Amino acid sequence: FLRNFLLIGTEIVIAFRGSNSPIDDMVDWATNAAWSPDTQDPPYQLLDAWNYYQLVKAENPTATISFTAHSVM
């Protein structure tokens, strides 16, 4: 799970890396397709992303935060 943020003035962009191999890509799509918020806990990547957001927000409470993500594949 790779993530980072960029602070420009009072704006922060949090970036997450997605899949970086064909196998990762297939596993990610299968996980996404199988997940149901009504019956299952969220995937660990979602929890990691939420926790990272909370950390960045706590350290920069007045910043405007946006998100981006990419996959290498």
Side-chain angles (χ1 to χ4, degrees):
F1 180 73
L2 293 177
R3 79 282 191 259
N4 209 340
F5 75 92
L6 173 65
L7 174 64
I8 303 172
T10 61
E11 295 185 37
I12 291 176
V13 176
I14 297 177
F16 300 101
R17 187 188 77 185
S19 306
N20 70 348
S21 75
I23 292 172
D24 286 347
D25 197 33
M26 289 186 310
V27 171
D28 288 347
W29 278 100
T31 300
N32 294 342
W35 181 60
S36 169
D38 295 330
T39 60
Q40 297 173 328
D41 291 332
Y44 73 90
Q45 297 99 326
L46 181 58
L47 295 175
D48 287 346
W50 175 253
N51 291 334
Y52 187 67
Y53 162 75
Q54 292 294 330
L55 176 70
V56 171
K57 183 67 176 170
E59 293 176 359
N60 303 277
T62 61
T64 300
I65 298 177
S66 58
F67 302 90
T68 190
H70 74 90
S71 292
V72 177
M73 294 305 294

